[in-house]
Amino acid sequence: MARYAYVNGRYVDHRTASVHIEDRGYQLADGVYEVVGVREGRLIDEQPHIDRLDRSLRELRIAWPVSRATLGFVIRELMRRNRLTDGLVYIQVTRGVARRDHAFPTKPVKPALVLTTKNAKRAEAEPGPGVAVKSHPDIRWERCDIKTVALLPNVLAKQAARESGAYEAWLVDGQGRVTEGASTNAWIVTQDNELVTRQSDNGILAGITRGTLKSLAKDLQLKIVERPFTLAEAKQAKEAFVTSATSFVLPVVKIDGETVGDGNVGPTARRLREEYVRFASAGEQVT
Ligand code: PMP
């Protein structure tokens, strides 16, 4: 467990860190977050994550709780205090503490800023045996592009997946199309070797890992097509994988109990994971 958390200007013992019960994040899920991966003491894609935080805040009309420069400093200070070399930094901003009312507080309140870190084993370039996913209806709202802490549909989908022995849930819309994972973006490699992932619109979160992987794939001369794909198409694909700040590039070898390809990790996912790990090891050293 990390030793320190950052809560509204203070570095406090993580075990007793707390916010007020009238925090709108707690009462109304009125807040946003970011998860930035850390590898070998380096922040992975820090600026794109902070840019996305800025966008989420603007979409919900929540002010920045501190300046961008201060946030950068707090991230680094918390990493140093917690001796974080591999894992993640969690950043959360809520609209702040106010008497409970659905509408925004009429008097200005200071947005609340919380940061924590989590240690993890250093991710291997080697992908391992791959994971299983389970499909689940996508019952979320129409602004999945905003990274809000309102994650209940994602929580229920992930739990259903875990109870069926799968690692991740793939969310499927009314037309049978996979939007994304409960906490990852979804990709397939078609029989024509096209890399397919859903276009980033209001239906999905524009993953930072997804964006970086698009440019790495381009460098490898892979053909990327951004369009919706169906669950049926995914089951017929050569390969499938998911991406996120914490899972990097994770091959999917089973969808709803059916094997993808021959059931082994394919060459494209393997190569992309290698490239991503190389990229992740090249950032600015913090700890
Ligand atoms: N989609 C959802 C719903 C997520 O929660 C996440 C993880 N935050 C992602 C996609 C992947 O985004 P990123 O690559 O920025 O971690």
Side-chain angles (χ1 to χ4, degrees):
M1 186 67 84
R3 268 199 315 150
Y4 287 97
Y6 174 90
V7 184
N8 294 323
R10 294 196 175 85
Y11 298 92
V12 294
D13 187 334
H14 184 277
R15 288 169 302 182
T16 51
S18 57
V19 294
H20 196 275
I21 55 166
E22 297 278 18
D23 187 288
R24 289 178 61 93
Y26 176 64
Q27 297 258 350
L28 303 159
D30 188 0
V32 301
Y33 75 106
E34 276 299 323
V35 174
V36 187
V38 174
R39 180 178 178 80
E40 297 163 352
R42 300 162 205 269
L43 287 156
I44 307 170
D45 265 335
E46 178 188 10
Q47 283 321 308
H49 279 284
I50 302 304
D51 288 344
R52 187 173 63 184
L53 177 65
D54 180 58
R55 179 179 184 278
S56 297
L57 289 170
R58 273 188 290 116
E59 291 296 328
L60 299 185
R61 293 156 60 197
I62 299 174
W64 268 77
V66 293
S67 69
R68 275 178 84 121
T70 300
L71 180 60
F73 175 82
V74 172
I75 291 170
R76 284 161 181 75
E77 180 60 19
L78 196 65
M79 285 174 67
R80 277 192 205 99
R81 285 181 183 237
N82 291 342
R83 296 191 179 84
L84 180 71
T85 55
D86 291 271
L88 62 90
V89 177
Y90 179 85
I91 306 162
Q92 178 174 303
V93 183
T94 66
R95 200 178 304 276
V97 174
R99 261 173 80 116
R100 189 176 184 282
D101 183 11
H102 285 53
F104 295 174
T106 45
K107 287 193 208 114
V109 295
K110 210 173 152 40
L113 175 63
V114 167
L115 278 86
T116 56
T117 65
K118 193 161 147 190
N119 286 300
K121 227 173 82 211
R122 183 163 301 166
E124 311 261 0
E126 161 61 36
V131 297
V133 299
K134 185 173 188 306
S135 62
H136 194 276
D138 191 343
I139 58 166
R140 299 174 301 164
W141 70 333
E142 291 179 8
R143 292 306 307 273
C144 297
D145 56 309
I146 306 172
K147 198 164 171 62
T148 82
V149 296
L151 289 170
L152 206 41
N154 308 57
V155 166
L156 296 177
K158 182 82 88 177
Q159 183 60 20
R162 293 286 163 86
E163 285 175 10
S164 79
Y167 174 78
E168 173 62 308
W170 269 13
L171 306 177
V172 180
D173 71 11
Q175 281 109 60
R177 303 176 307 191
V178 176
T179 50
E180 62 183 328
S183 62
T184 56
N185 287 115
W187 302 67
I188 58 170
V189 181
T190 66
Q191 296 297 335
D192 302 328
N193 292 317
E194 280 178 2
L195 212 48
V196 181
T197 192
R198 190 200 158 92
Q199 72 280 3
S200 59
D201 52 20
N202 290 1
I204 67 165
L205 183 76
I208 303 303
T209 320
R210 174 189 179 278
T212 294
L213 206 70
K214 265 179 21 184
S215 70
L216 294 174
K218 221 170 273 169
D219 294 345
L220 294 175
Q221 323 281 321
L222 295 172
K223 179 151 193 245
I224 306 159
V225 184
E226 290 183 71
R227 63 162 173 85
F229 61 86
T230 64
L231 192 61
E233 196 180 357
K235 289 176 181 171
Q236 298 300 316
K238 257 190 184 167
E239 296 182 41
F241 58 91
V242 294
T243 56
S244 76
T246 45
S247 63
F248 292 8
V249 178
L250 190 58
V252 170
V253 294
K254 229 177 223 185
I255 304 172
D256 289 343
E258 295 177 40
T259 52
V260 178
D262 64 4
N264 293 308
V265 171
T268 308
R270 182 178 295 277
R271 183 72 206 277
L272 287 171
R273 184 177 173 92
E274 276 171 18
E275 287 299 317
Y276 188 78
V277 167
R278 205 189 315 272
F279 165 83
S281 301
E284 169 216 355
Q285 189 98 38
V286 177
T287 51

